[in-house]
Amino acid sequence: MTELNQHPQLQELSELVLVTPPPLTAHPVAVYLAQLSPASRQAMRHYLDKIASILTSGRCDADTLNWAALRYQQTAALRAILVEQFSPHTANLMLCALRRVLKEALRLDLLDAKDYARAVDVASIKVTKKLRGRVLTGVEITALMNVCQADLTPSGARDAALIAILRGSGLRRREVVNLDLCDFNPSTGALEVRSGKGGKDRTVYLPTGAIGVVSDWLVVCSNALGPLLCPVSKGKRVMRRRMTSQAVLFVLQKRAKEAGVAAFSAHDFRRTFISELLDAGVDIVTVQRLAGHADPATTSRYDRRGEAAKRKAVEVLHIPYVPRRHL
């Protein structure tokens, strides 16, 4: 691990430490974080605390670092350290958070435009690793549903509904656990996603098969008001409170082990959802809206169809040619 004393740009600490932090309405970190969803806010706050600690050898957190005092020398040295200590994906998220905070410092007139332009002029880190995650096969999804159906307790019905929603809508873990019963329309299969990533609302639709699975769970949980998916106690009693994102992970790990399915994440259902819709010929703008992406380019990064999709695509092209007869 790189020692900070190898980077002389980071050794001048006095001007980087805020003696009296400004009020939240004038603090670039607070202003930036206030624009994020609760989940993103927590993650970015963690990254900003880490950045502040690196820049000041552990003396500051995000609140007590003087972000307006950062110059290119510090941000360039920080990038070099991030390259050595973190994965490219994490390092780029941290650099993104840094740039956004400095942008708020500029907007709050805490940072000169020329100093801002130089401070943020650090390149993102190239990601050369293979695509993350995987697509679940139809056989694997069937095996997961079968083990849930074989479990006649409320947990079996709840877990089947959870998998049906993840597989049939491509929702993120946090979006799934935030669903309420009133957000589900059993007639149309509509799910109202409220305050999704970026604080945006959207409507998605479950396929017919998934509607039946979720409706069966509603019978088990007595169709009461409150969260759509609830914890189930060891005594097999449905508890009237919201599941956590971590609980979703535990459920998927348990059912994967029971079904003999290789390890996967909740987000792999999202990759499967997007890839299968694209493979079925659904236009990318529609898939983008269902996935809740701001940019179709983000949707395309979830495509895991591989070479078979490219081979299938070119078959729509007709070449008017009659093969020669060979004697």
Side-chain angles (χ1 to χ4, degrees):
M1 184 177 291
T2 302
E3 296 294 333
L4 290 180
N5 58 22
Q6 295 178 23
H7 293 275
Q9 299 94 325
L10 301 183
Q11 292 183 23
E12 294 297 327
L13 302 181
S14 57
E15 64 180 13
L16 295 182
V17 180
L18 285 174
V19 178
T20 306
L24 294 182
T25 53
H27 197 302
V29 169
V31 174
Y32 162 56
L33 293 179
Q35 302 169 35
L36 305 180
S37 66
S40 296
R41 190 179 306 138
Q42 182 178 6
M44 290 304 180
R45 170 72 199 211
H46 171 74
Y47 290 146
L48 292 170
D49 281 337
K50 190 66 179 177
I51 289 171
S53 178
I54 291 172
L55 288 169
T56 62
S57 297
R59 289 178 58 184
C60 288
D61 60 11
D63 292 332
T64 55
L65 177 71
N66 184 5
W67 297 88
L70 294 182
R71 298 295 181 265
Y72 176 76
Q73 290 86 346
Q74 285 91 18
T75 58
L78 173 68
R79 181 188 183 279
I81 294 173
L82 297 183
V83 168
E84 296 176 2
Q85 295 188 11
F86 298 93
S87 71
H89 176 71
T90 300
N92 282 330
L93 284 176
M94 295 173 77
L95 288 174
C96 176
L98 170 69
R99 294 188 189 101
R100 291 289 301 274
V101 170
L102 293 181
K103 184 65 175 287
E104 296 305 330
L106 174 69
R107 289 171 170 168
L108 292 167
D109 292 327
L110 302 174
L111 184 61
D112 177 80
K114 186 178 292 186
D115 289 330
Y116 162 76
R118 290 172 177 167
V120 299
D121 190 22
V122 289
S124 296
I125 298 155
K126 291 184 178 180
V127 179
T128 56
K129 295 195 305 183
K130 294 173 66 176
L131 291 174
R132 300 167 63 200
R134 70 181 186 89
V135 164
L136 280 81
T137 67
V139 172
E140 290 177 319
I141 293 170
T142 298
L144 290 167
M145 293 300 293
N146 284 344
V147 297
C148 292
Q149 287 185 281
D151 181 352
L152 301 181
T153 69
S155 292
R158 190 272 317 278
D159 295 352
L162 168 64
I163 291 172
I165 293 172
L166 289 170
R167 191 267 184 280
S169 68
L171 294 187
R172 303 172 179 91
R173 263 195 300 170
R174 183 166 293 276
E175 291 173 339
V176 172
V177 298
N178 282 342
L179 289 171
D180 288 326
L181 280 159
C182 62
D183 295 328
F184 171 58
N185 185 331
S187 300
T188 64
L191 288 172
E192 301 298 332
V193 181
R194 307 181 192 281
S195 299
K197 192 170 183 179
K200 296 179 180 178
D201 298 344
R202 72 183 189 281
T203 303
V204 300
Y205 295 88
L206 292 176
T208 302
I211 296 174
V213 179
V214 177
S215 296
D216 282 348
W217 159 245
L218 296 187
V219 174
V220 172
C221 72
S222 302
N223 203 20
L225 296 177
L228 180 59
L229 297 173
C230 307
V232 177
S233 70
K234 292 182 179 179
K236 303 177 183 178
R237 182 174 61 86
V238 176
M239 305 170 73
R240 300 299 177 191
R241 56 182 174 83
R242 200 174 300 282
M243 285 182 72
T244 65
S245 295
Q246 191 67 21
V248 171
L249 177 62
F250 291 152
V251 166
L252 296 181
Q253 289 174 339
K254 173 187 174 184
R255 297 305 182 183
K257 184 176 181 180
E258 293 172 348
V261 172
F264 65 91
S265 69
H267 222 69
D268 286 335
F269 273 117
R270 187 166 169 80
R271 296 181 178 97
T272 305
F273 172 81
I274 292 172
S275 292
E276 289 194 0
L277 289 182
L278 293 174
D279 196 37
V282 180
D283 67 275
I284 195 168
V285 174
T286 299
V287 179
Q288 169 207 345
R289 291 171 179 167
L290 288 170
H293 288 148
D295 187 342
T298 304
T299 307
S300 67
R301 292 201 293 270
Y302 281 73
D303 188 358
R304 296 297 188 276
R305 292 173 295 167
E307 296 303 311
K310 292 190 284 185
R311 182 71 185 86
K312 180 181 176 181
V314 300
E315 288 300 327
V316 304
L317 305 176
H318 175 61
I319 306 297
Y321 178 73
V322 177
R324 292 184 180 184
R325 283 183 158 183
H326 296 281
L327 297 178

